[in-house]
Every structure is written in structure tokens, then in C-alpha cells.
Amino acid sequence: SLLQVQPCWYLAYSMAVDGVSLQTMYRQVANSGPCILVVEDSSNCIFGAFLAEGLRPGLRSPTSHESFLFRYPRAGGAWRTQVFSAIQGHPAQFQAPRSREEEPQGEHWANYFENLKRCQAWALTESNGGVFCDTLGIIVGLDGPGLFIDQNLLRGVSWPSAAYGSPCLAAAGSGPDFVIRNLEVWHWTAS
């Protein structure tokens, strides 16, 4: 647990430094262990996830009590941290299909739907939401998903997730889909 160590945080991947590539990100964070995925969207909202199992292609991890989603919504000045912890024992239940008007449209969202379908069978065998990573992107909180980052690292979507008790993480009023301005992954080691 993070409370039991005095961590030293290291920047493992940054779009600004390492380029825009999911494969590069996976390579940079390989064998890093627990990490924080931080996203800044085009509306200047900052949000992301602490992933106790880390990030790597092929990761299919049930939600850990140590994992959480977070956001720093900026409303009227000061930044406030909102943290949404995993709800243990929450069954993996996917929401009913949304109306066509609510679903993100366009060719770039095809990976989102394909990746979500690929992880549904796995998630239904697990006891809770979980994390799913592969070459099509990253999904955290499968029942929403709470956070999805597409393979091109330029777009994502965030729906409310009952597994994390979280609302949409993207900027208020922007809808569930968002454009990524910056993405970083930080990992820690005990000092």
C-alpha cells in the first residue's frame, strides 16, 4: 500500500517527451509495477487512475482495493481532488447500450467498441470491474467504462462506473468523450 512506503515518483512515459505511441508507453512502463496514469483533456480537466497492477499489454486484472480513479475538476478557480476507490465485491455489470446519440461516433471510436467487446467475456468471469490493456487501448472500470484510452492516445471516453463509484471523469459539459492534450504515466519505487 502507498501508505506503507515513502515512494519516490518517476516519470516513466510522457507524450510530450516520448511521442504519441501506445507501444512506446507499454515499453517505457514495462516491469514498473504500480503506476499513475494521468490524462489532461482539451478542456484542461486532469484525471486518471492509480493502477496497482501497473500497465502492460495483455493485462486483465480484477479491480484491486488499492486501485482508484481520480479527477481534478476546475470549477471557479481552485483545483479540488476527487478520488473514487474501487468498490470491493461489486459485480461486473455492463450498462445497457446507450442511445445512438450518446455513443461516440466516427471511425476512431471503432477500437473502443471492439476492445470493450473483447474484454466483456473476461470481465463477466471476474467478481468486479477491473483493468483491461491491449494493443487497442486501456480500459479501467469495465462497467462504464470509467476510463478508456484509445490506441492512438489522442482520444478517450469516460462513463460513470459503479465499480469505482465514479462519475464521468472528463470536463463537465464536454460529454463522455474527450480529446487528450497530454498523457503521462508515473511509477514509484520505495526510497
Side-chain angles (χ1 to χ4, degrees):
S1 160
L2 286 178
L3 297 176
Q4 297 171 345
V5 296
Q6 296 295 319
C8 292
W9 290 94
Y10 297 98
L11 181 61
Y13 172 82
S14 170
M15 281 176 50
V17 174
D18 301 307
V20 183
S21 166
L22 182 64
Q23 295 306 317
T24 298
M25 185 197 72
Y26 283 145
R27 190 172 45 255
Q28 299 277 112
V29 302
N31 305 315
S32 293
C35 64
I36 293 182
L37 173 71
V38 182
V39 177
E40 179 185 11
D41 70 13
S42 60
S43 298
N44 297 318
C45 188
I46 297 173
F47 51 90
F50 174 76
L51 305 168
E53 299 293 323
L55 282 172
R56 62 188 177 281
L59 176 67
R60 282 134 180 85
S61 172
T63 303
S64 163
H65 69 280
E66 294 180 336
S67 295
F68 57 85
L69 294 171
F70 65 90
R71 70 177 178 175
Y72 293 96
R74 188 167 191 171
W79 294 90
R80 284 185 357 258
T81 305
Q82 296 176 327
V83 176
F84 308 97
S85 297
I87 300 170
Q88 292 303 298
H90 184 273
Q93 296 177 346
F94 293 94
Q95 297 176 0
R98 297 168 178 91
S99 70
R100 296 293 272 167
E101 295 79 34
E102 289 182 304
E103 292 289 0
Q105 298 297 314
E107 186 176 320
H108 54 272
W109 290 111
N111 290 336
Y112 163 71
F113 295 111
E114 184 178 334
N115 204 5
L116 195 56
K117 287 178 190 175
R118 289 172 82 187
C119 71
Q120 282 180 340
W122 165 79
L124 292 173
T125 65
E126 296 296 321
S127 62
N128 52 25
V131 178
F132 184 88
C133 302
D134 73 3
T135 57
L136 294 178
I138 301 164
I139 298 177
V140 182
L142 303 175
D143 64 341
L147 180 60
F148 170 73
I149 305 296
D150 197 359
Q151 70 181 1
N152 60 20
L153 301 183
L154 298 175
R155 298 189 180 269
V157 69
S158 175
W159 293 96
S161 170
Y164 285 91
S166 68
C168 172
L169 300 176
S174 67
D177 53 316
F178 55 88
V179 175
I180 297 172
R181 176 178 290 167
N182 193 20
L183 184 143
E184 295 180 344
V185 179
W186 293 78
H187 70 94
W188 61 273
T189 60
S191 57

